[in-house]
Amino acid sequence: MMMRTGSVLAATALLTTLLHAADGAAAATAEGGPPARARRAAPDRQAGHAAALAAIGTGNAGAQEFTTAAARLERVSLYLNGSAAAGRVRVQVRAVRDDPGSAVADAAVDLASLGGPGAGWVEVPLSAAVRPGTRYWLFAQAATADGKPVVWYGTRGDTAGAPAGSLYDGGGWREGGGRFAFYVNPSGPERCGEVEACYVPASLKPARTAGLLADGGGAVEAVEPAFAVGARYVPGSNVLELPSGRWRYLPAGASKSRVVGADDPGALAQIAGSRRWLASGTVPGGSGPRREAAERALLSMRALLRPNGAFAAAWYPFWDFSWPRDSAFAAAAFARTGHDEEAYRILRYNAGTQRPDGTWEARTRLDGSGPPDARQWQLDADGWVPWAAWQWYRTAPEAGRAERLRALYPALAKAADFAAGSLDAQGLPPASPDYWELPTTTANIGTAAPLLAGLNAASDLARELGRDADAGRWAQAAGRLEAAIAKRFAPLGYGRTADGLHGRDSAAAFMAPPFNTAPADLPRALDDTYRELRRPNGGLVPGSDPDTRWGDVTWTASTSFFALAWASSGERAKGGAVLDWVLERRNLLGELPETVDATGQPKAVVPLGWTDALVLLTLGAQEGRGAETPPRARS
C-alpha cells in the first residue's frame, strides 16, 4: 500500500500539465463531445494551447475586439493562469477600448474564491444589453495583493480572420502579436468541464485522479482532477453533473465516457441501477455527511471490483492491481453492508490466486494472471484472507452458507497451515514485508497481528464445518503467537518490530477489534502511538521508523486504523473525531484520497478502495453494528 507509486517523472509547468489533461479528456469524450464546428478556430475562442499573450497583473491589461449575434451578454469565459493567492480580475465589455466609461458590462473575479494559484477557464457572469453585429472590446486587468502575475492565455501567432488583440503595458496600448482566448455567452460544450478544464487550483495538482465513472458492469474511467472542478455526482450514482448542467457518464460496454443531456435515458437507467444496488444492502452513517461518504465509498468500491472478483486498489497505473490485503478489507466492508455477492466474489478470487504453498503474491494483475513484477510476497495475506472470510460468514445468508464456505475452505486451510508452520520457537512469524511494502529484519507487528486474527478466524470456521482437528491445530498456533506478541511486542508499546529498533507503527491498531481481542495494555499503547504519528495537518503517518522518512504527508488508511479500533472498542467519541478528520479530507467530488499533503489537500490517487472500506467499517461500528472480532481460539 505505502510504496505503490513507482517512479514518477518530474512535473512540467502547471499549464502544460493541465492542457495535456484537457486534450486527453477531449479525446476521451469524442463520442459525446462537441460538433466539429465548435472545435474550429473562431474569433471568440482559443484555437490552441500555445502561449501566454498578456500579463494582466497590476499595471498591465489586455483587450480583444469581438462581435456577437446575441442581444444580451450573460457571461464570458477566459483562460487564466494565476500565481496570486488573492486579488481580483476586473472584466469589462467596452464599446471603446481605451475608455472605461464606455463599458456596458463590468464584473470581477475573486482569485481566492477560485482556490488561489491555478489555471483554466474562468466563467464571469455579466448582464448587459448589446447590439448584434456591433464591435465591442473584452477588457481584463488584475490587481493582486502579493504582486504575483495573472496571465490571459491565447494563441502564439495571429489567427487568420480573427479580430486583433491589444496589450496595455503601463505606457499605452499596442497591438498584440496574437489572439486572446475567450467565449461569449458560452453554452453546451463551450462551458468549462466538458472539453476544456475549468479553473483548477494548483492545490489539486498532487492528486492523480478525482473520482470514477463506472457502468456497473466492469467498465471504469477515472475522472481527472481538471474535469472535476465545478462538477458533482448525481446522488446515488457514478454519473457526473457538469457545470453546464449536462451529465458525463460511461455507457454500458463503452470504453469512453460521453457528455449527454440531463434526461438521457442511458444515464437515467444507470442511475436507477446504482440506487437499486445501494438499496439491496445497507448504507451506514445515518444522515448528512457521514451517510454521503458511505454512499460514495460503496459506489467507488463497486466500481473498483472486477467481474472476476479482483479488487483494484485504485484506478491508476501502479495502483490498478489487486492486493490481498486491500481486497480483504473490501470483502469485510461489503459483507457488513449486506452486499454478500460482492464480498464472496472477492474471496473466491483470492482463493483462486493463492500460491501452491498457501501464500499470496503481494499483488496480482486484475485478470488474475499473476504478479506484475518481482515484488516480494507478503505473509500478512495469510491472516487477512481468513479474517475476511470469517467476517463474510458471520453476515452471509444462512441458506447455502456452509456449502460456500466449504468451497473456500481448502484455501483457508492452506493459509492457516502456512501461518502456523511459519512460527519460530518463540512463536513469532518470520521477517516479511509489512503493509508498508518494505522488508524488516525481524518480525513486525504489521504481520504478526493479522496472522493472529487469521488463525483465530480459521479455527472458528473450521469448527463451523466440524473440522475439529484443524481447529485445534490452528488454535494452538494462535495461542503461541499471542503469547509471543505479549512477550516481545507489548513491552515496546506494540512497535513496528520485535527488536525495538524501528519505532512505532499504526499497525498497533490491528491488535484491537475487529481484528483481535485487545490486550489490557493496548489502550495506552494506541494513545501513545497516535500522538507520536500525528502530523500538523491532523492525520497520521504509518510509523516512526528512523529509517523511513514520511515527512508531513499523512495516510488516510493509517489514520482510519485508529478510528476503526476505537469505535470497535467502545470509544466512539474518540473514534468519531478521527473519522470526521478523514471525512473532512474528501475531495471536491466527495471521494477519499490515499494521502493528504501538508496543507490538507488530497494527494496521490482518489479514491483509494482500502480507505473506503475502513470508513464503512468504522461507520458501522459507530452505529453499534460494527464488524465482530474472531474469538480467541480454544485448543
Side-chain angles (χ1 to χ4, degrees), residues 452 456 459-460 463 475 478 482 516-520 629-635:
L452 179 59
N456 283 326
S459 179
D460 196 54
R463 292 195 188 280
E482 185 175 24
N516 291 293
T517 301
T629 303
R632 281 193 176 101
R634 60 188 191 278
S635 57

Side-chain angles (χ1 to χ4, degrees), residues 584-606:
E584 288 165 4
R585 304 284 87 72
R586 290 184 297 156
N587 75 347
L588 66 176
L589 292 181
E591 300 276 19
L592 290 159
E594 179 181 39
T595 55
V596 178
D597 70 15
T599 67
Q601 297 298 322
K603 185 177 172 65
V605 289
V606 188

Side-chain angles (χ1 to χ4, degrees), residues 287-560:
S287 61
R290 286 188 173 185
R291 182 181 174 85
E292 292 170 7
E295 182 180 278
R296 187 77 260 135
L298 275 167
L299 289 170
S300 294
M301 285 170 50
R302 185 190 186 209
L304 293 171
L305 177 59
R306 307 292 78 218
N308 66 351
F311 184 78
W315 205 255
Y316 192 80
F318 300 113
W319 283 264
D320 54 351
F321 305 115
S322 185
W323 273 259
R325 177 175 47 251
D326 299 48
S327 66
F329 278 79
F334 278 134
R336 286 290 161 179
T337 58
H339 295 94
D340 173 80
E341 187 277 329
E342 287 77 11
Y344 190 71
R345 198 191 324 164
I346 292 172
L347 296 171
R348 289 289 290 168
Y349 176 85
N350 284 339
T353 53
Q354 188 180 43
R355 304 197 309 180
D357 65 357
T359 63
W360 278 269
E361 297 288 352
R363 56 186 183 167
T364 60
R365 297 183 183 92
L366 295 179
D367 62 3
S369 61
D373 52 30
R375 182 172 299 193
Q376 187 177 347
W377 66 277
Q378 294 158 21
L379 181 54
D380 64 342
D382 284 55
W384 290 129
V385 174
W387 172 81
W390 188 88
Q391 296 292 344
W392 160 77
Y393 187 78
R394 297 292 293 177
T395 61
E398 289 191 13
R401 181 175 66 169
E403 288 76 9
R404 292 197 289 162
L405 177 59
R406 289 189 186 96
L408 296 175
Y409 192 78
L412 303 179
K414 287 197 294 183
D417 276 339
F418 190 96
S422 74
L423 304 183
D424 63 17
Q426 300 179 71
L428 288 177
S432 168
D434 53 9
Y435 75 102
W436 296 18
E437 307 217 282
L438 294 172
T440 59
T441 56
T442 58
N444 58 67
I445 195 66
T447 300
L451 290 185
L452 179 59
L455 285 167
N456 283 326
S459 179
D460 196 54
L461 292 173
R463 292 195 188 280
E464 287 286 332
L465 296 181
R467 307 290 184 91
D468 291 343
D470 288 348
R473 185 169 67 256
W474 301 331
Q476 184 180 37
R480 293 180 59 226
L481 176 54
E482 185 175 24
I485 291 173
K487 181 178 180 180
R488 297 295 303 279
F489 285 98
L492 303 172
Y494 300 92
R496 186 181 184 205
T497 55
D499 59 12
L501 300 178
H502 296 279
R504 293 190 179 272
D505 192 323
S506 60
F510 297 161
M511 288 301 298
F515 313 112
N516 291 293
T517 301
D521 58 354
L522 186 65
R524 180 176 178 179
L526 291 185
D527 288 344
D528 292 344
T529 301
Y530 182 82
R531 281 193 296 269
E532 185 166 323
L533 303 187
R534 196 165 183 255
R535 291 295 179 266
N537 70 11
L540 303 190
V541 292
S544 57
D545 189 332
D547 295 336
T548 305
R549 296 285 184 264
W550 299 103
D552 285 335
V553 173
T554 57
W555 299 75
T556 57
S558 286
T559 308
S560 298

